[in-house]
Amino acid sequence: FKVVAEKRRGDCPRFDQIGYVAYHNINAKGPMLARSLARKVLGNEEFCMQIDAHTDFAKDWDEILRDQWKRTKNEFGILSTVPPPKSAKADYSPGGSEENDVPRQCMVKFRDNGFP
């Protein structure tokens, strides 16, 4: 499994800074295991970002994200969001009824078995 074909690596100047875990879909056990495995590629990074394969990015998302993090005034601040369902994608796109809203996951409820 290759994220970027060998001949295309030159197109990505920071390729060596990208960590990933390749996991065959036959063995997939859901997002909890996937996120746990992704932690294995972390070293002593200053920042970390996890996304799902179906994530769409807004224009200037990186600048917006950096600005939101700075506004926390907390070097350990964590930004989290929950992607809207695909059926609501148009609502959250520019011009949509929810274009200025960002779904957030601010609280996790645990069940009796200790799992969210």
Side-chain angles (χ1 to χ4, degrees):
F1 178 78
K2 293 181 181 176
V3 174
V4 177
E6 199 67 41
K7 63 184 177 181
R8 299 281 321 267
R9 288 184 181 199
D11 296 341
C12 182
R14 303 204 190 286
F15 182 82
D16 293 336
Q17 295 176 347
I18 299 171
Y20 66 93
V21 175
Y23 203 74
H24 199 283
N25 66 333
I26 291 174
N27 298 320
K29 303 291 185 213
M32 299 290 275
L33 177 62
R35 287 183 179 93
S36 172
L37 291 172
R39 291 179 54 111
K40 293 179 186 268
V41 300
L42 293 177
N44 192 22
E45 275 68 47
E46 190 171 352
F47 290 94
C48 170
M49 183 170 93
Q50 285 187 323
I51 60 171
D52 291 332
H54 55 85
T55 301
D56 289 328
F57 291 95
K59 184 178 187 298
D60 300 323
W61 68 270
D62 52 342
E63 293 175 18
I64 294 167
L65 185 64
R66 187 175 50 231
D67 181 59
Q68 288 179 355
W69 179 77
K70 285 180 181 179
R71 287 188 290 157
T72 68
K73 297 181 180 174
N74 179 347
E75 68 176 307
F76 301 108
I78 296 172
L79 300 178
S80 178
T81 186
V82 179
K86 288 185 179 187
S87 61
K89 183 177 176 180
D91 295 335
Y92 287 92
S93 297
S97 61
E98 308 290 335
E99 73 174 319
N100 293 318
D101 291 344
V102 177
R104 300 279 189 210
Q105 184 171 346
C106 299
M107 186 176 89
V108 176
K109 293 181 181 179
F110 287 88
R111 296 179 284 198
D112 292 337
N113 64 4
F115 290 98

